[in-house]
């Protein structure tokens, strides 16, 4: 396009397309522009020189956010194979004037939120105008992505050693962009332009006019192919002037004016390939960043090199892959491409060949291949001079000091808290968790009473935004976490949540937050009358008292708080268990077990004795006002603690299961006693007989009502526990001692009986060390032996003979 003697070329691209990137590189070399304009936020121009700084490695992104509300933010990502990045580096390396031409980030963030959401949904789902889909449909393709790959990304034919994104040089490259512009114009001719795109294109035209007015003679514009017709003025198949400058000014004048509340900052941040993919939610994402990088970086034998990478990955995971596999997979991929009329094998053909040949029909390895190769986990880097908030700079210093690099690949840290460096790492991870930056996620058991922690550490670009958001709390990770914890405490409604926050602050070593939080806990506990709330609050505080010295943390004044809460729970527990419904009982029962475990852990008579008395009162109230579930749970806790013996538990059960009581209440009592473990029934025949007799005495209606409740309880038992209980029930009618003996010593019958009898003396010799003689009390044939009636008298030296 000529403009008053100046020449403008419009390079319409597919964002993050490797073929487009190669074409842009060739076109710029052929055109030799003196000014380059790139689709991107115009107010990011001061950050462009950093794109060529040492230490800047894509993928990276421009981050824009509001100073007073960092949650309002946006990203503009760039990969190494993005056409826009290629143009940026081309201009920087040659000292050519370059700038962004899209709407400023401040204007984009100030646009109507609903309009932005509508446009984003259109970009992601394709519900709005999709020119690529129209062109693909006209060409007979089922999906737009495949058509674009065949026509643009794989352009260059099948000849020569290179497969993939080979582009012609010189005028051929410019001609290709002219063809793209013409095709887009034809598609947009009958499509309305969305409001947001109209504003963006008006701004692009304004920036282009300004560049020409400043004296640029050869201008190259790198933008999405969709926008080319609006910049070139091609409409209705003929050359036309773009909209008048006055019209564009009027359109842009409607944009909201920037105020202090909407002031925007921009910076560069690291990005990842996974965040370029569609599943990350990025509107202009691509499905296979790793594959596109392969297309861009590989100069020859694209198919062979890709399959070789797949084979290397599979071999590392101990999947056998041979050279013959690679040869056959290559042939299959090419054959599939030929059958489908594609110029070269694409990712679909390579994937099918991988499954059929390298994976021998198994699709399970595809998840690994997709994560490691098709998408990839590359994380870019930015140089130290990039503008950032003080909090992010402090985190970078701490991460470097503690040797915790920011990588997109998951790494597990097994920390030994007795080691000074590991202890500092643990504090950093806990502080970041309080700030909502989940760079490190705890895995496995992380009991406060051990010296070890395990963390999965993976950096996500989204954490850059969260650091900006958290910067309002302080300039360092420690000060920000302290301020955030105190603010969270003010908004915490329950005592239990507040005590959990105290525990987190102690593990994060935030002394500035711990003392004020303990004071709040004490004040709230003094006024709280809800036993369930107090019961939720006690276990974390008890854990702090018991294990706080592992980290060397101090919790002065906490012991007084714990004692006060424990005593109040003991006093209020019996009334709290009376006249409550099923929902309230099921909500309170787990708390009883947790409080009991916490008090047992502390092992202090001053709080243990009142608690045991309270449990005994609840257990004694079973059938006399207390909910059966809670009374049964209290009996079980007392039994586990050794306070109640088997006879006392049997007496309580007999009273709870009496025929005069309500069957539902009795079933609840059993659930409280037995839930989680059936060992008490597996080893106590008296209790088992009580339950059996109770069930046998129920009438039909009551039995049908109770059985589902019992099934719910027995479902919590392990399979061996259920099997053992079933065996015990089968012999409940036998005389005492006979059932167990029958289970242990009854010989088999039938063809194996003689074999059993012949082997028995030898087995007894091995187990006891001495043979038993006929007539001795221990001999199975002795009249005094309980099993004498069912045992055969055999000599120790009897010869084994085959059974008849």
């Amino acid at each position: 396009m000529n403009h008053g003697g100046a020449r403008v070329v419009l390079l319409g691209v597919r964002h993050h397309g490797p073929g487009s990137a190669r074409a842009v590189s060739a076109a710029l070399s052929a055109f030799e522009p003196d000014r380059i304009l790139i689709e991107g936020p115009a107010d990011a121009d001061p950050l462009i020189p950093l794109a060529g700084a040492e230490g800047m490695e894509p993928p990276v992104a421009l981050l824009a956010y509001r100073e007073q509300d960092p949650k309002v933010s946006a990203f503009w990502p760039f990969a190494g194979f993005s056409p826009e990045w290629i143009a940026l580096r081309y201009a920087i390396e040659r000292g050519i004037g370059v700038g962004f031409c899209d709407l400023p980030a401040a204007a984009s963030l100030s646009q109507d939120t609903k309009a932005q959401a509508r446009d984003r949904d259109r970009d992601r789902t394709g519900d709005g105008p999709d020119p690529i889909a129209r062109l693909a449909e006209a060409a007979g393709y089922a999906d737009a992505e495949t058509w674009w790959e065949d026509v643009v990304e794989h352009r260059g034919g099948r000849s020569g050693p290179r497969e993939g994104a080979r582009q012609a040089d010189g005028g051929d490259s410019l001609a290709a962009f002219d063809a793209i512009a013409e095709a887009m114009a034809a598609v947009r001719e009958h499509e309305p332009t969305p409001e947001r795109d109209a504003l963006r294109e008006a701004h692009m035209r304004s920036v282009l006019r300004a560049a020409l007015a400043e004296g640029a003679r050869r201008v190259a514009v790198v933008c999405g192919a969709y926008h080319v017709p609006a910049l070139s003025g091609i409409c209705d198949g003929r050359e036309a002037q773009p909209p008048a400058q006055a019209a564009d000014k009027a359109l842009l004048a409607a944009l909201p004016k920037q105020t202090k509340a909407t002031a925007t900052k921009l910076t560069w941040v690291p990005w990842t390939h996974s965040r370029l993919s569609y599943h990350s939610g990025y509107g202009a994402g691509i499905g296979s960043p790793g594959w596109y990088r392969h297309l861009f970086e590989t100069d020859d034998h694209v198919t062979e090199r890709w399959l070789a990478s797949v084979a290397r990955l599979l071999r590392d995971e101990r999947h056998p892959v041979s050279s013959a596999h690679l040869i056959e997979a290559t042939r299959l991929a090419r054959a599939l491409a030929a059958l489908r009329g594609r110029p070269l094998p694409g990712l679909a053909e390579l994937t099918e060949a991988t499954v059929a040949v390298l994976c021998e029909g198994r699709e399970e390895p595809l998840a690994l291949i997709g994560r490691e190769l098709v998408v990839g986990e590359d994380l870019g880097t930015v140089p130290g001079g990039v503008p950032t908030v003080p909090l992010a700079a402090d985190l970078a210093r701490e991460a470097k000091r503690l040797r915790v690099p920011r990588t997109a690949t998951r790494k597990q840290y097994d920390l030994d808290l007795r080691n000074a460096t590991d202890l500092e790492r643990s504090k950093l991870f806990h502080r970041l968790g309080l700030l909502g930056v989940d760079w490190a996620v705890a895995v496995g058991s992380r009991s406060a009473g051990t010296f070890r922690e395990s963390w999965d550490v993976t950096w996500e670009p989204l954490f850059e935004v969260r650091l900006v958001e958290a910067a309002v709390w302080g300039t360092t990770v420690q000060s920000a976490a302290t301020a955030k914890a105190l603010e969270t405490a003010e908004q915490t409604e329950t005592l239990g949540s507040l005590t959990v926050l105290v525990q987190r602050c102690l593990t994060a070593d935030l002394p500035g937050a711990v003392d004020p939080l303990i004071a709040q806990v004490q004040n709230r506990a003094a006024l709280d009358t809800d036993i369930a709330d107090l019961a939720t609050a006690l276990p974390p505080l008890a854990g702090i008292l018991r294990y706080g010295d592992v980290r060397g943390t101090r919790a002065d004044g906490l012991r007084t708080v714990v004692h006060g809460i424990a005593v109040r729970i003991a006093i209020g527990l019996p009334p709290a268990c009376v006249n409550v419904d099923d929902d309230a009982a099921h909500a309170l029962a787990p708390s009883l077990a947790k409080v009991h475990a916490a008090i047992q852990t502390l092992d202090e008579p001053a709080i243990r004795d009142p608690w045991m008395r309270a449990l005994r009162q609840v257990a004694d109230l079973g059938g006399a006002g207390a909910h059966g579930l809670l009374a049964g749970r209290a009996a079980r806790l007392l039994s586990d603690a050794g306070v109640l013996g088997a006879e006392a538990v049997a007496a309580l059960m007999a009273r709870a299961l009496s025929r005069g009581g309500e069957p539902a209440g009795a079933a609840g009592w059993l659930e409280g006693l037995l839930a989680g473990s059936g060992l008490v029934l597996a080893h106590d025949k008296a209790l088992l007989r009580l339950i059996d007799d109770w069930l046998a005495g129920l009438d039909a209606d009551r039995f049908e009502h109770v059985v589902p409740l019992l099934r719910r309880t027995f479902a919590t038992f392990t399979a061996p526990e259920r099997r053992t209980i079933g065996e015990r029930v089968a012999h409940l009618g036998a005389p005492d001692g006979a059932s167990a003996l029958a289970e242990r010593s009854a010989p088999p019958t039938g063809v194996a009986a003689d074999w059993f009898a012949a082997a028995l003396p030898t087995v007894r010799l091995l187990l006891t060390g001495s043979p038993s003689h006929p007539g001795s009390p221990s001999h199975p044939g002795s009249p005094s032996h309980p099993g004498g009636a069912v045992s055969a008298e055999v000599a120790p030296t009897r010869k084994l003979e085959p059974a008849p």
Side-chain angles (χ1 to χ4, degrees), residues 423-470:
L423 180 58
E424 290 299 312
R425 286 172 174 170
S426 174
K427 293 176 182 178
L428 177 63
F429 295 159
H430 282 288
R431 290 167 182 174
L432 290 174
L434 285 167
L435 290 173
V437 182
D438 298 323
W439 179 20
V441 178
V443 294
S445 175
R446 199 186 75 210
S447 171
T450 69
F451 286 100
R452 296 194 176 276
E453 290 180 347
S454 293
W455 300 81
D456 275 346
V457 179
T458 309
W459 184 260
E460 293 282 353
L462 183 62
F463 297 155
E464 300 285 352
V465 177
R466 292 183 180 173
L467 286 173
V468 173
E469 295 173 1

Side-chain angles (χ1 to χ4, degrees), residues 6-49:
R7 188 180 177 195
V8 178
V9 295
L10 303 175
L11 308 180
V13 300
R14 192 252 197 257
H15 297 301
H16 315 304
S20 296
R22 287 182 174 271
V24 165
S25 179
L28 292 177
S29 298
F31 182 61
E32 295 183 348
D34 58 7
R35 181 71 62 86
I36 298 177
L37 301 178
I38 301 171
E39 181 181 330
D43 45 357
D45 283 358
L47 298 175
I48 288 178

